[in-house]
Amino acid sequence: VYMETYGCQMNVNDTEIAWAILQKNGYGRTKDLDEADVVLLVTCSVREKAEQAIWNRLRHLKALKARRQQARLPLRIGILGCMAERLKEEILHREKLVDIVAGPDAYRDLPRLLAVAESGQQAANVLLSLDETYADILPVQTSAGGTTAFVSIMRGCDNMCSYCIVPFTRGRERSRPITSILQEVRMLSDQGVKEVTLLGQNVNSFRDMSEVQFQSAAAPVLSRGFSTVYKAKPGGLRFAHLLDQVSRIDPEMRIRFTSPHPKDFPDEASVLQLIRERHNICKQLHLPAQSGSTQVLEAMRRGYTREAYLELVHHVRECIPGVSLSSDFIAGFCGEREEDHQQTVSLLREVRYHTGFLFAYSMRQKTRAYHRLQDDVPADIKKRRLEELITVFREEAARANEAMVGQSQLVLVEGPSKRSVLELCGRNDGNIKVIFPDAEIEDAAGCKALVRAQPGDYVLVKVTSASSQTLKGVLLCRTTLSRSAVCH
């Protein structure tokens, strides 16, 4: 089996789950396309561009499949994930190229689907589940160097933002039992993984209902000034409880999480307290804004105003001094006027995010926007607005990063820099890439021998220069997460 992953971190995790299931059923994995009997593409549907990449890839695979047929070495092609869910009929009927189609909740069915495909028939399963979390499947890690890993804690989303296809391709929100998450994190710790990112479409509305005694808890309170289209559900162990438990497993393992929804940081914010207090929970938060205009936010059904969002940002910065913020923005949503766009520009200037994910709006079928709104911002205006947002974001991120010049940053070494074999790269607590020379250094433990930093090591780096996306610096010493926390 040869696998390719497109789209978000959830898809990276889905690839690892699908591979774990196939491995248990006797399949081998290859990194060489020419060796493969089966090619599986794990797909994304969030934007049109992501889907276009898959159609282009299928055109390339069509030629390969035809060559294989002539050589009597059949090649089976499968489309997995969100695009399979959204476009099942079209994928199966277009040129009869694809043999299997499996939605995000159908990976357990892959061995059966592949067996059907072996007999020359097309096979599909895109049933969405109300309870599938793959809790009993330990994903086979495929991420870089084995120093970092993604752990899925929940699937699906209930928020129904008007632009978003996710509730339709990934289904309703459901959470994995905490015990299975802790088991996976312990296993990763034993394997030497030094950073775990807890993944979900909406992590801070996590709710473990797996045991009767968890079900009596009250419904959560929303952040001030926030609302939802659904009624808050009572019961369950919440995200703060999970974060507390995960952070206790290994004091030398960094914990991150993505993606939260701004509505789920109420004032008693035990999540924010935990981030402030625990040295191994990264002081970094993803707060997706999507727009800086209250009018556009209302059309998007985000459940907050610009003012409520900014109040939350100030609250987060008061609770967690030095926090690094990232966000998502959509340019050119339905009905967005020039003044709405300028409000987004001013929000980017006011908040000054370290990291941003910015995209032009693309209408997706099934969404509320598709049924109720008009995609009325011309493509050239979307493109210009997006470019303006990216320029402003980069200017502000560069300023935020330049403030770190002269400071020492704790960096988890990931491996060689892409640009030079003489340099290493890693990420600091705020998830910003840091590049530094691969040189001999002292160990902070006081051993006299010089050492070379390896992937998985924590090092202190003094920042000497900064751009909007990276920091550069000089190595000071090798250390540990716990020792660094004591010094600071």
Side-chain angles (χ1 to χ4, degrees), residues 13 135 173 297 304 487:
N13 189 256
E173 226 167 70
L297 289 167
Y304 51 87
C487 297

Side-chain angles (χ1 to χ4, degrees), residues 321-337:
V323 68
S324 166
L325 295 180
S326 57
S327 195
D328 299 336
F329 287 94
I330 294 170
F333 185 65
C334 309
E336 184 187 74
R337 302 159 305 170

Side-chain angles (χ1 to χ4, degrees), residues 134-148:
Y134 299 108
D136 57 322
I137 292 168
L138 291 177
V140 178
Q141 294 301 323
T142 55
S143 45
T147 56
T148 64

Side-chain angles (χ1 to χ4, degrees), residues 124-297:
N125 180 348
V126 292
L127 292 174
L128 284 175
S129 161
L130 289 174
D131 50 17
E132 177 62 89
T133 61
Y134 299 108
D136 57 322
I137 292 168
L138 291 177
V140 178
Q141 294 301 323
T142 55
S143 45
T147 56
T148 64
F150 298 121
V151 173
S152 175
I153 65 166
M154 60 192 301
R155 299 178 75 81
C157 186
D158 287 350
N159 285 320
M160 291 303 209
C161 302
S162 61
Y163 55 82
C164 186
I165 190 77
V166 167
F168 304 97
T169 60
R170 286 189 170 268
R172 296 287 81 133
E173 226 167 70
R174 62 267 184 210
S175 303
R176 239 175 111 176
I178 285 182
T179 48
S180 89
I181 298 167
L182 297 179
Q183 181 197 357
E184 186 177 335
V185 175
R186 280 189 206 100
M187 179 191 80
L188 292 169
S189 168
D190 293 343
Q191 289 171 4
V193 167
K194 287 291 170 63
E195 181 179 291
V196 156
T197 303
L198 304 177
L199 276 188
Q201 232 68 48
N202 188 20
V203 287
N204 51 350
S205 62
F206 176 88
R207 219 164 58 100
D208 176 6
M209 299 286 282
S210 61
E211 295 187 33
V212 175
Q213 68 266 30
F214 301 164
Q215 292 171 17
S216 57
V221 183
L222 294 178
S223 309
R224 252 206 319 268
F226 288 71
S227 64
T228 62
V229 294
Y230 63 86
K231 200 162 158 243
K233 301 174 198 76
L237 290 181
R238 316 298 309 192
F239 183 61
H241 182 91
L242 172 66
L243 196 57
D244 170 45
Q245 296 291 306
V246 168
S247 68
R248 290 173 190 271
I249 287 173
D250 180 350
E252 288 301 309
M253 181 189 262
R254 268 182 179 169
I255 310 299
R256 300 187 190 279
F257 57 87
T258 197
S259 175
H261 191 289
K263 74 179 187 326
D264 298 305
F265 289 105
D267 283 343
E268 67 269 25
S270 43
V271 169
L272 298 179
Q273 269 167 340
L274 274 171
I275 297 171
R276 186 179 63 210
E277 288 164 10
R278 297 281 158 87
H279 75 274
N280 63 335
I281 302 179
C282 293
K283 313 289 177 277
Q284 176 234 332
L285 261 190
H286 189 61
L287 285 180
Q290 307 301 358
S291 172
S293 154
T294 294
Q295 190 170 320
V296 174
L297 289 167

